[in-house]
mmCIF file of all heavy atoms in Angstrom:
data_model
loop_
_atom_site.group_PDB
_atom_site.id
_atom_site.type_symbol
_atom_site.label_atom_id
_atom_site.label_comp_id
_atom_site.label_asym_id
_atom_site.label_seq_id
_atom_site.Cartn_x
_atom_site.Cartn_y
_atom_site.Cartn_z
ATOM 1 N N GLY A 349 13.308 31.490 6.661
ATOM 2 C CA GLY A 349 13.917 32.883 6.554
ATOM 3 C C GLY A 349 15.269 32.772 5.833
ATOM 4 O O GLY A 349 15.862 33.807 5.492
ATOM 5 N N ARG A 350 15.831 31.537 5.692
ATOM 6 C CA ARG A 350 17.041 31.403 5.083
ATOM 7 C C ARG A 350 17.026 30.923 3.609
ATOM 8 O O ARG A 350 16.000 30.366 3.236
ATOM 9 C CB ARG A 350 18.003 30.453 5.900
ATOM 10 C CG ARG A 350 18.210 31.000 7.300
ATOM 11 C CD ARG A 350 18.936 29.945 8.202
ATOM 12 N NE ARG A 350 20.136 29.519 7.678
ATOM 13 C CZ ARG A 350 20.826 28.501 8.208
ATOM 14 N NH1 ARG A 350 20.430 27.829 9.139
ATOM 15 N NH2 ARG A 350 22.002 28.187 7.669
ATOM 16 N N ALA A 351 18.174 31.109 2.758
ATOM 17 C CA ALA A 351 18.107 30.779 1.434
ATOM 18 C C ALA A 351 18.998 29.582 1.330
ATOM 19 O O ALA A 351 20.075 29.534 1.843
ATOM 20 C CB ALA A 351 18.566 31.985 0.585
ATOM 21 N N PHE A 352 18.602 28.605 0.448
ATOM 22 C CA PHE A 352 19.574 27.465 0.179
ATOM 23 C C PHE A 352 19.553 27.383 -1.315
ATOM 24 O O PHE A 352 18.607 27.287 -2.080
ATOM 25 C CB PHE A 352 18.911 26.174 0.841
ATOM 26 C CG PHE A 352 18.897 26.273 2.312
ATOM 27 C CD1 PHE A 352 17.825 26.747 3.018
ATOM 28 C CD2 PHE A 352 20.028 26.015 2.937
ATOM 29 C CE1 PHE A 352 17.848 26.897 4.395
ATOM 30 C CE2 PHE A 352 20.228 26.123 4.391
ATOM 31 C CZ PHE A 352 18.924 26.585 5.170
ATOM 32 N N ALA A 353 20.708 27.176 -1.738
ATOM 33 C CA ALA A 353 20.974 27.168 -3.252
ATOM 34 C C ALA A 353 20.668 25.881 -3.916
ATOM 35 O O ALA A 353 20.292 25.729 -5.037
ATOM 36 C CB ALA A 353 22.435 27.652 -3.562
ATOM 37 N N THR A 354 20.894 24.769 -3.039
ATOM 38 C CA THR A 354 20.858 23.427 -3.557
ATOM 39 C C THR A 354 20.348 22.501 -2.562
ATOM 40 O O THR A 354 20.479 22.867 -1.318
ATOM 41 C CB THR A 354 22.225 22.886 -4.010
ATOM 42 O OG1 THR A 354 23.134 22.941 -2.922
ATOM 43 C CG2 THR A 354 22.800 23.650 -5.199
ATOM 44 N N PRO A 355 19.886 21.310 -2.815
ATOM 45 C CA PRO A 355 19.540 20.347 -1.799
ATOM 46 C C PRO A 355 20.774 19.982 -1.001
ATOM 47 O O PRO A 355 20.654 19.813 0.196
ATOM 48 C CB PRO A 355 19.069 19.137 -2.648
ATOM 49 C CG PRO A 355 18.523 19.629 -3.875
ATOM 50 C CD PRO A 355 19.510 20.795 -4.140
ATOM 51 N N GLU A 356 21.903 19.986 -1.697
ATOM 52 C CA GLU A 356 23.014 19.770 -0.805
ATOM 53 C C GLU A 356 23.339 20.695 0.270
ATOM 54 O O GLU A 356 23.783 20.397 1.253
ATOM 55 C CB GLU A 356 24.412 19.638 -1.787
ATOM 56 C CG GLU A 356 24.454 18.477 -2.732
ATOM 57 C CD GLU A 356 23.561 18.475 -3.956
ATOM 58 O OE1 GLU A 356 22.830 19.559 -4.190
ATOM 59 O OE2 GLU A 356 23.587 17.617 -4.775
ATOM 60 N N ALA A 357 23.016 21.954 0.029
ATOM 61 C CA ALA A 357 23.360 23.032 0.862
ATOM 62 C C ALA A 357 22.284 22.779 2.212
ATOM 63 O O ALA A 357 22.746 23.006 3.234
ATOM 64 C CB ALA A 357 23.016 24.376 0.271
ATOM 65 N N LEU A 358 21.166 22.563 1.783
ATOM 66 C CA LEU A 358 20.198 22.164 2.835
ATOM 67 C C LEU A 358 20.527 20.980 3.719
ATOM 68 O O LEU A 358 20.536 20.995 4.979
ATOM 69 C CB LEU A 358 18.674 21.993 2.176
ATOM 70 C CG LEU A 358 17.673 21.783 3.290
ATOM 71 C CD1 LEU A 358 17.382 22.905 4.284
ATOM 72 C CD2 LEU A 358 16.426 21.260 2.568
ATOM 73 N N ALA A 359 20.922 20.023 2.945
ATOM 74 C CA ALA A 359 21.361 18.777 3.570
ATOM 75 C C ALA A 359 22.647 19.008 4.530
ATOM 76 O O ALA A 359 22.650 18.402 5.607
ATOM 77 C CB ALA A 359 21.855 17.700 2.673
ATOM 78 N N ALA A 360 23.415 19.993 4.292
ATOM 79 C CA ALA A 360 24.548 20.294 5.101
ATOM 80 C C ALA A 360 24.123 20.823 6.334
ATOM 81 O O ALA A 360 24.646 20.611 7.543
ATOM 82 C CB ALA A 360 25.548 21.187 4.473
#
Side-chain angles (χ1 to χ4, degrees):
R350 299 172 57 188
F352 295 95
T354 58
E356 286 81 357
L358 176 70

